[in-house]
Amino acid sequence: PAPAPAPAPAQSFEDGDRVEARFGFGKQWYGGRITGGSALIGYDVVYDDGDRESGVAAELIRPIIREFVEMPPEPPRPPPAVEAAGEDDFVGIYRKSKTANWEAGIKVNGERMHLGTYDSPEAAARAYDDKARAHGRPVNFPRAGEQQAKKQRKRARTAPQSPPQHILFGSPLPEEDDDGFVGIWRAPGARKPTWKSSITVAGEKVHLGSFSDPIAAAQAYDAKAREQGRPVNFPRDGEVKAEKNQ
């Protein structure tokens, strides 16, 4: 008769191997880890539930085989969402109230043209672009070779200057004192201190009103002088300081 096949060598394990073993010679397999022993004397097993067992025969232990499945690469993440542009980001559009539709307009040859009313700021901005493009101006949505239109931000308001001491404490100025401002003078003979403001435009003197203090009169002059591109008493950025002729 043919010789009996040699028994297969017992599975060997090393400390730290993850395995499953049949606790107490039972039929159920439980997960655990090898902590010592050998195939000759049996292995020490610490089970996942905390139980321990020593001298476990190699035939009662099997390795945990992990199947590594190659996962498909993650799809590229979309770029972060860009917040939709609002009214403040576009040139040539405006809104009369928070609940109103957007309107588009453009100034051509000194005259303002109304370009329609729209449900969104983007639509109004594109209507502006159509007209601006025809005049070779920057646009809100530039194409190749076009310039980006940039909205001019309003300057932050500065705190009003404190009135001079003579106004704060009620002491009248001398009759000829105009506090150094251009375009104002003190009305002679008035029962209350009164300053008048005027400016000459196209050779004609334009009266701008009467005021109870020289600062208000000077500011009235400045408002009209700005329209004419002239120096002013209280210059803003880029403006020229008005100097009184001595």
Side-chain angles (χ1 to χ4, degrees), residues 95-209:
R95 200 179 191 187
K96 294 181 179 178
S97 70
K98 290 184 177 181
T99 57
N101 288 336
W102 283 265
E103 299 186 42
I106 191 172
K107 185 175 281 189
V108 178
N109 297 327
E111 296 185 3
R112 186 167 183 83
M113 300 175 59
H114 185 252
L115 303 177
T117 303
Y118 303 88
D119 294 334
S120 68
E122 291 84 358
R126 292 185 186 281
Y128 170 87
D129 286 0
D130 291 341
K131 196 68 175 177
R133 214 170 254 119
H135 292 272
R137 300 184 187 178
V139 293
N140 295 295
F141 300 98
R143 301 168 183 167
E146 295 179 335
Q147 291 185 350
Q148 173 71 55
K150 295 182 179 179
K151 193 165 188 176
Q152 295 181 352
R153 302 296 180 184
K154 295 180 180 179
R155 295 190 182 97
R157 293 184 178 181
T158 56
Q161 297 183 2
S162 300
Q165 293 283 327
H166 55 265
I167 295 177
L168 291 175
F169 296 100
S171 56
L173 286 170
E175 283 292 326
E176 296 179 358
D177 194 350
D178 54 19
D179 216 35
F181 295 128
V182 173
I184 75 168
W185 75 95
R186 186 171 177 176
R191 296 181 60 184
K192 292 183 179 181
T194 302
W195 283 263
K196 295 181 179 293
S197 178
S198 67
I199 190 171
T200 301
V201 179
E204 295 185 2
K205 193 170 187 176
V206 179
H207 181 62
L208 302 175

Side-chain angles (χ1 to χ4, degrees), residues 84-91 140 148-149 151 153:
E87 174 188 359
D88 292 338
D89 300 308
F90 294 129
V91 173
N140 295 295
Q148 173 71 55
K151 193 165 188 176
R153 302 296 180 184

